[in-house]
Amino acid sequence: MVAVTASFAPAPAPSTITMPMKKRSGGTVCFAELSFPSFLPKQVENIKDTFARKLATRIDRLPVPVSFSDNSIMSSCVRPLIQSKTSPVVLLHGFDSSCLEWRYTYPLLEEAGFETWAVDILGWGFSDLEKLPPCNVASKREHFYQLWKSHIKRPIILVGPSLGAAVAIDFVVNHPEAVEKLVLIDASVYEEGTGNLATLPRIAAYAGVYLLKSIPLRLYVNVLAFTGISFGTSLDWTNVGRLHCLYPWWEDATVDFMISGGYNVSAQIQQRLHCELPNATIRQIPDCGHLPHVERPNSVAKLIVDFVHEDCFKEAECVSQY
Protein backbone atom coordinates (compact mmCIF):
# COMPACT_ATOMS: atom_id res chain seq x y z
CA MET A 1 0.00 0.00 0.00
CA VAL A 2 1.31 3.40 -0.96
CA ALA A 3 -0.21 6.32 0.90
CA VAL A 4 -0.79 9.60 -0.87
CA THR A 5 1.33 12.08 1.03
CA ALA A 6 0.80 15.15 -1.11
CA SER A 7 -2.00 16.41 -3.26
CA PHE A 8 -1.46 18.18 -6.55
CA ALA A 9 -3.82 20.88 -7.74
CA PRO A 10 -3.17 22.46 -11.15
CA ALA A 11 -3.02 26.23 -10.95
CA PRO A 12 -5.00 28.46 -13.31
CA ALA A 13 -3.03 29.34 -16.41
CA PRO A 14 -2.22 32.86 -17.55
CA SER A 15 -3.23 33.90 -21.04
CA THR A 16 0.30 33.18 -22.26
CA ILE A 17 3.25 31.26 -20.92
CA THR A 18 6.42 33.28 -20.57
CA MET A 19 9.97 32.64 -19.51
CA PRO A 20 12.18 35.38 -18.06
CA MET A 21 15.43 36.00 -19.93
CA LYS A 22 18.03 38.51 -18.81
CA LYS A 23 19.49 40.89 -21.35
CA ARG A 24 23.25 41.26 -21.57
CA SER A 25 23.16 45.01 -21.08
CA GLY A 26 21.49 46.75 -18.18
CA GLY A 27 19.44 45.15 -15.46
CA THR A 28 16.15 44.76 -17.28
CA VAL A 29 14.33 41.50 -17.89
CA CYS A 30 12.43 40.68 -21.06
CA PHE A 31 9.92 37.88 -21.56
CA ALA A 32 9.89 35.39 -24.41
CA GLU A 33 6.56 33.75 -25.17
CA LEU A 34 6.55 29.98 -25.68
CA SER A 35 4.67 29.46 -28.93
CA PHE A 36 2.62 26.42 -29.86
CA PRO A 37 3.67 24.27 -32.83
CA SER A 38 1.86 25.40 -35.97
CA PHE A 39 0.51 21.89 -36.63
CA LEU A 40 -1.60 21.83 -33.45
CA PRO A 41 -5.29 22.70 -33.81
CA LYS A 42 -5.77 26.43 -33.26
CA GLN A 43 -8.10 25.68 -30.34
CA VAL A 44 -5.01 24.94 -28.24
CA GLU A 45 -4.97 28.67 -27.60
CA ASN A 46 -8.22 28.33 -25.63
CA ILE A 47 -6.77 25.90 -23.09
CA LYS A 48 -6.21 27.49 -19.70
CA ASP A 49 -4.35 24.70 -17.88
CA THR A 50 -0.77 25.93 -17.39
CA PHE A 51 0.74 22.44 -17.49
CA ALA A 52 -1.15 21.43 -20.63
CA ARG A 53 -0.14 24.64 -22.40
CA LYS A 54 3.51 24.25 -21.45
CA LEU A 55 3.69 20.61 -22.54
CA ALA A 56 1.88 21.46 -25.78
CA THR A 57 4.67 23.89 -26.71
CA ARG A 58 7.10 20.96 -26.61
CA ILE A 59 5.17 18.62 -28.91
CA ASP A 60 7.24 17.76 -31.96
CA ARG A 61 6.79 15.62 -35.05
CA LEU A 62 9.45 13.09 -36.02
CA PRO A 63 9.62 11.11 -39.27
CA VAL A 64 8.80 7.43 -38.77
CA PRO A 65 9.18 5.05 -41.73
CA VAL A 66 6.58 2.25 -41.89
CA SER A 67 5.89 -0.54 -44.34
CA PHE A 68 2.24 0.39 -44.83
CA SER A 69 2.92 3.91 -46.13
CA ASP A 70 5.03 5.15 -49.03
CA ASN A 71 6.15 8.13 -46.96
CA SER A 72 7.34 8.44 -43.39
CA ILE A 73 4.63 9.42 -40.93
CA MET A 74 5.37 12.67 -39.14
CA SER A 75 4.69 11.38 -35.67
CA SER A 76 3.95 13.47 -32.61
CA CYS A 77 5.71 13.14 -29.28
CA VAL A 78 7.38 15.10 -26.53
CA ARG A 79 11.12 14.52 -26.67
CA PRO A 80 13.42 14.57 -23.64
CA LEU A 81 15.60 17.56 -22.88
CA ILE A 82 18.26 15.40 -21.27
CA GLN A 83 19.95 12.06 -21.89
CA SER A 84 20.42 10.04 -18.73
CA LYS A 85 22.41 6.95 -17.80
CA THR A 86 19.25 5.07 -16.91
CA SER A 87 16.99 3.66 -19.60
CA PRO A 88 14.60 6.18 -21.18
CA VAL A 89 11.09 6.33 -19.75
CA VAL A 90 8.47 6.20 -22.52
CA LEU A 91 4.93 7.26 -21.65
CA LEU A 92 1.97 6.00 -23.67
CA HIS A 93 -1.57 7.29 -23.24
CA GLY A 94 -5.01 5.73 -22.99
CA PHE A 95 -7.77 5.21 -25.54
CA ASP A 96 -8.42 8.15 -27.85
CA SER A 97 -6.08 10.48 -25.99
CA SER A 98 -2.72 12.17 -26.48
CA CYS A 99 0.60 12.91 -24.83
CA LEU A 100 -1.09 15.84 -23.04
CA GLU A 101 -2.52 13.20 -20.70
CA TRP A 102 0.90 13.34 -19.00
CA ARG A 103 0.91 17.10 -18.47
CA TYR A 104 1.26 16.84 -14.67
CA THR A 105 3.50 13.78 -14.30
CA TYR A 106 5.91 14.40 -17.20
CA PRO A 107 7.64 17.44 -15.60
CA LEU A 108 8.03 15.55 -12.33
CA LEU A 109 9.85 12.71 -14.10
CA GLU A 110 12.08 15.23 -15.87
CA GLU A 111 12.83 16.94 -12.58
CA ALA A 112 13.86 13.53 -11.23
CA GLY A 113 16.52 13.39 -13.96
CA PHE A 114 14.86 10.87 -16.29
CA GLU A 115 15.17 10.91 -20.05
CA THR A 116 11.43 11.01 -20.70
CA TRP A 117 9.43 10.59 -23.88
CA ALA A 118 5.66 11.01 -24.23
CA VAL A 119 4.57 9.27 -27.43
CA ASP A 120 1.27 9.52 -29.29
CA ILE A 121 -0.16 6.17 -30.40
CA LEU A 122 -0.85 6.00 -34.14
CA GLY A 123 -4.38 7.20 -34.91
CA TRP A 124 -4.62 9.44 -31.85
CA GLY A 125 -2.63 12.41 -30.66
CA PHE A 126 -1.16 14.98 -33.02
CA SER A 127 0.62 13.01 -35.77
CA ASP A 128 0.08 14.00 -39.41
CA LEU A 129 -2.37 11.45 -40.80
CA GLU A 130 -3.63 13.44 -43.78
CA LYS A 131 -2.70 10.46 -45.99
CA LEU A 132 -4.62 8.15 -43.71
CA PRO A 133 -2.71 4.95 -42.89
CA PRO A 134 -4.37 1.88 -41.39
CA CYS A 135 -4.82 2.34 -37.64
CA ASN A 136 -5.33 -1.25 -36.54
CA VAL A 137 -3.31 -3.00 -33.84
CA ALA A 138 -0.60 -4.27 -36.17
CA SER A 139 -0.08 -0.80 -37.65
CA LYS A 140 0.05 0.84 -34.22
CA ARG A 141 2.61 -1.73 -33.10
CA GLU A 142 4.82 -1.32 -36.18
CA HIS A 143 4.63 2.46 -35.98
CA PHE A 144 5.70 2.49 -32.33
CA TYR A 145 8.50 0.01 -33.01
CA GLN A 146 9.84 2.07 -35.91
CA LEU A 147 9.69 5.23 -33.79
CA TRP A 148 11.67 3.41 -31.09
CA LYS A 149 14.14 2.00 -33.62
CA SER A 150 14.65 5.31 -35.44
CA HIS A 151 14.79 7.74 -32.53
CA ILE A 152 15.10 6.10 -29.10
CA LYS A 153 17.39 3.22 -30.05
CA ARG A 154 17.87 1.56 -26.65
CA PRO A 155 15.78 -0.50 -24.22
CA ILE A 156 13.10 1.51 -22.48
CA ILE A 157 10.97 1.62 -19.36
CA LEU A 158 7.54 1.50 -20.96
CA VAL A 159 4.58 3.04 -19.13
CA GLY A 160 1.03 2.27 -20.26
CA PRO A 161 -2.14 3.57 -18.57
CA SER A 162 -5.63 2.21 -19.26
CA LEU A 163 -5.76 0.95 -22.89
CA GLY A 164 -2.13 2.05 -23.17
CA ALA A 165 -1.38 -0.96 -20.97
CA ALA A 166 -2.73 -3.24 -23.70
CA VAL A 167 -0.63 -1.36 -26.24
CA ALA A 168 2.41 -1.85 -24.00
CA ILE A 169 1.80 -5.57 -23.46
CA ASP A 170 1.24 -6.18 -27.17
CA PHE A 171 4.46 -4.29 -27.90
CA VAL A 172 6.64 -6.09 -25.35
CA VAL A 173 5.36 -9.52 -26.42
CA ASN A 174 6.34 -8.79 -30.02
CA HIS A 175 9.48 -6.74 -29.34
CA PRO A 176 10.94 -7.85 -25.99
CA GLU A 177 14.36 -6.51 -26.96
CA ALA A 178 12.98 -2.97 -26.85
CA VAL A 179 11.65 -3.03 -23.27
CA GLU A 180 13.66 -3.33 -20.07
CA LYS A 181 10.84 -2.73 -17.58
CA LEU A 182 7.10 -2.35 -17.80
CA VAL A 183 4.77 -0.10 -15.79
CA LEU A 184 1.02 -0.65 -16.14
CA ILE A 185 -1.37 1.93 -14.68
CA ASP A 186 -4.95 0.81 -14.03
CA ALA A 187 -4.55 -1.58 -16.93
CA SER A 188 -7.49 -2.15 -19.29
CA VAL A 189 -6.28 -5.46 -20.64
CA TYR A 190 -9.12 -7.96 -20.29
CA GLU A 191 -11.62 -6.52 -22.74
CA GLU A 192 -11.92 -8.55 -25.92
CA GLY A 193 -11.02 -5.79 -28.31
CA THR A 194 -13.78 -3.44 -29.43
CA GLY A 195 -16.35 -6.24 -29.19
CA ASN A 196 -19.62 -5.77 -31.06
CA LEU A 197 -18.49 -2.33 -32.21
CA ALA A 198 -16.33 -4.08 -34.80
CA THR A 199 -19.46 -5.35 -36.57
CA LEU A 200 -21.27 -2.03 -36.76
CA PRO A 201 -22.17 -0.69 -40.21
CA ARG A 202 -19.83 2.16 -41.10
CA ILE A 203 -22.58 4.76 -40.92
CA ALA A 204 -23.35 3.69 -37.35
CA ALA A 205 -19.65 3.61 -36.48
CA TYR A 206 -19.20 7.18 -37.72
CA ALA A 207 -22.25 8.31 -35.76
CA GLY A 208 -20.79 6.80 -32.59
CA VAL A 209 -17.40 8.38 -33.20
CA TYR A 210 -19.02 11.75 -33.82
CA LEU A 211 -20.70 11.45 -30.42
CA LEU A 212 -17.40 10.39 -28.85
CA LYS A 213 -15.78 13.74 -29.58
CA SER A 214 -18.75 15.83 -28.48
CA ILE A 215 -18.20 18.26 -25.63
CA PRO A 216 -21.30 17.17 -23.62
CA LEU A 217 -20.25 13.51 -23.59
CA ARG A 218 -16.62 14.19 -22.73
CA LEU A 219 -17.61 16.71 -20.08
CA TYR A 220 -19.98 14.15 -18.55
CA VAL A 221 -17.21 11.54 -18.48
CA ASN A 222 -14.89 14.01 -16.76
CA VAL A 223 -17.52 14.76 -14.12
CA LEU A 224 -17.85 11.04 -13.44
CA ALA A 225 -14.11 10.37 -13.50
CA PHE A 226 -12.81 13.20 -11.34
CA THR A 227 -14.09 14.41 -8.00
CA GLY A 228 -13.33 17.66 -6.26
CA ILE A 229 -12.71 19.75 -9.38
CA SER A 230 -14.72 22.78 -10.44
CA PHE A 231 -16.94 22.90 -13.51
CA GLY A 232 -14.47 25.31 -15.12
CA THR A 233 -11.58 22.91 -14.59
CA SER A 234 -13.65 19.99 -15.87
CA LEU A 235 -14.52 21.96 -19.01
CA ASP A 236 -10.88 22.90 -19.55
CA TRP A 237 -9.79 19.28 -19.12
CA THR A 238 -12.45 18.34 -21.66
CA ASN A 239 -10.88 20.76 -24.15
CA VAL A 240 -7.46 19.24 -23.46
CA GLY A 241 -8.76 15.71 -23.91
CA ARG A 242 -10.54 16.34 -27.22
CA LEU A 243 -7.98 18.65 -28.84
CA HIS A 244 -6.64 15.90 -31.11
CA CYS A 245 -10.20 15.08 -32.23
CA LEU A 246 -10.31 18.35 -34.15
CA TYR A 247 -8.08 17.06 -36.96
CA PRO A 248 -10.05 16.19 -40.13
CA TRP A 249 -8.68 12.63 -40.17
CA TRP A 250 -9.52 11.77 -36.55
CA GLU A 251 -12.93 10.23 -37.29
CA ASP A 252 -11.58 8.01 -40.08
CA ALA A 253 -8.66 6.85 -37.93
CA THR A 254 -10.90 6.03 -34.97
CA VAL A 255 -13.47 4.17 -37.07
CA ASP A 256 -10.66 2.18 -38.70
CA PHE A 257 -9.42 1.11 -35.24
CA MET A 258 -12.95 0.29 -34.09
CA ILE A 259 -13.87 -1.97 -36.99
CA SER A 260 -10.44 -3.66 -36.92
CA GLY A 261 -11.35 -5.29 -33.62
CA GLY A 262 -8.96 -3.42 -31.34
CA TYR A 263 -6.64 -4.90 -28.72
CA ASN A 264 -7.19 -8.36 -27.29
CA VAL A 265 -4.22 -9.30 -25.09
CA SER A 266 -6.07 -11.45 -22.56
CA ALA A 267 -4.62 -14.59 -24.12
CA GLN A 268 -1.18 -13.27 -23.21
CA ILE A 269 -2.08 -12.66 -19.56
CA GLN A 270 -4.40 -15.38 -18.39
CA GLN A 271 -6.64 -15.02 -15.33
CA ARG A 272 -4.94 -12.51 -12.99
CA LEU A 273 -2.39 -10.06 -14.31
CA HIS A 274 -0.21 -10.16 -11.21
CA CYS A 275 -0.05 -13.96 -11.27
CA GLU A 276 0.99 -13.94 -14.90
CA LEU A 277 3.87 -11.53 -14.22
CA PRO A 278 5.92 -13.43 -11.63
CA ASN A 279 8.40 -10.62 -10.98
CA ALA A 280 5.74 -7.92 -10.73
CA THR A 281 4.99 -5.60 -7.85
CA ILE A 282 1.56 -4.06 -7.29
CA ARG A 283 1.19 -0.63 -5.73
CA GLN A 284 -2.17 0.90 -4.85
CA ILE A 285 -3.03 4.59 -4.77
CA PRO A 286 -6.09 5.15 -2.55
CA ASP A 287 -8.83 7.70 -3.16
CA CYS A 288 -8.06 7.88 -6.85
CA GLY A 289 -9.92 7.23 -10.07
CA HIS A 290 -8.97 5.71 -13.40
CA LEU A 291 -6.22 8.19 -14.27
CA PRO A 292 -3.85 8.44 -11.30
CA HIS A 293 -1.20 10.20 -13.40
CA VAL A 294 -3.72 13.04 -13.78
CA GLU A 295 -5.21 12.95 -10.27
CA ARG A 296 -2.15 11.94 -8.23
CA PRO A 297 0.90 12.82 -10.35
CA ASN A 298 3.24 13.09 -7.36
CA SER A 299 2.35 9.57 -6.24
CA VAL A 300 2.68 8.10 -9.72
CA ALA A 301 5.99 9.86 -10.38
CA LYS A 302 7.40 8.63 -7.06
CA LEU A 303 6.35 5.06 -7.79
CA ILE A 304 8.00 5.16 -11.21
CA VAL A 305 11.16 6.77 -9.81
CA ASP A 306 11.41 4.18 -7.02
CA PHE A 307 10.78 1.34 -9.46
CA VAL A 308 13.43 2.49 -11.91
CA HIS A 309 15.96 2.86 -9.14
CA GLU A 310 15.36 -0.58 -7.65
CA ASP A 311 18.41 -2.85 -7.81
CA CYS A 312 16.47 -6.10 -8.01
CA PHE A 313 15.68 -7.50 -11.42
CA LYS A 314 11.96 -7.04 -11.88
CA GLU A 315 10.19 -7.11 -15.19
CA ALA A 316 6.99 -5.23 -14.49
CA GLU A 317 5.30 -2.82 -12.15
CA CYS A 318 1.53 -2.51 -11.95
CA VAL A 319 0.23 0.76 -10.57
CA SER A 320 -3.43 0.50 -9.64
CA GLN A 321 -5.94 1.87 -7.19
CA TYR A 322 -9.03 0.96 -5.28
Side-chain angles (χ1 to χ4, degrees), residues 104-247:
Y104 303 134
T105 305
Y106 187 98
L108 298 176
L109 294 173
E110 261 193 345
E111 288 171 11
F114 289 146
E115 179 181 338
T116 309
W117 294 72
V119 173
D120 283 336
I121 299 166
L122 181 70
W124 301 313
F126 305 103
S127 298
D128 183 358
L129 303 183
E130 185 173 2
K131 296 181 178 178
L132 185 70
C135 293
N136 54 40
V137 170
S139 299
K140 291 178 188 291
R141 181 196 313 131
E142 181 186 341
H143 172 262
F144 182 34
Y145 174 74
Q146 292 298 336
L147 186 149
W148 171 81
K149 183 179 178 181
S150 299
H151 301 285
I152 304 176
K153 303 179 181 179
R154 55 195 179 115
I156 60 177
I157 295 138
L158 183 58
V159 183
S162 189
L163 184 70
V167 178
I169 290 172
D170 175 78
F171 183 75
V172 74
V173 166
N174 287 276
H175 301 289
E177 74 283 3
V179 180
E180 179 182 315
K181 293 185 177 184
L182 188 63
V183 179
L184 308 179
I185 301 178
D186 204 26
S188 299
V189 293
Y190 295 119
E191 293 85 354
E192 295 184 359
T194 54
N196 293 332
L197 296 177
T199 63
L200 285 176
R202 277 191 170 265
I203 188 170
Y206 274 96
V209 166
Y210 181 81
L211 179 63
L212 180 62
K213 77 171 180 180
S214 68
I215 290 178
L217 177 62
R218 289 190 174 242
L219 181 60
Y220 177 67
V221 170
N222 269 355
V223 170
L224 292 180
F226 304 109
T227 58
I229 63 172
S230 68
F231 177 82
T233 297
S234 185
L235 181 60
D236 195 45
W237 287 9
T238 297
N239 291 332
V240 173
R242 69 185 295 272
L243 184 64
H244 66 284
C245 302
L246 303 179
Y247 284 122

Side-chain angles (χ1 to χ4, degrees), residues 39-40 59-64 66 68-69 71-77 120-133 135 143 244 247-250 253:
F39 58 77
L40 291 182
I59 297 175
D60 198 2
R61 281 177 172 173
L62 302 177
V64 175
V66 290
F68 50 84
S69 175
N71 301 311
S72 293
I73 295 175
M74 296 304 296
S75 305
S76 52
C77 65
D120 283 336
I121 299 166
L122 181 70
W124 301 313
F126 305 103
S127 298
D128 183 358
L129 303 183
E130 185 173 2
K131 296 181 178 178
L132 185 70
C135 293
H143 172 262
H244 66 284
Y247 284 122
W249 53 77
W250 173 82

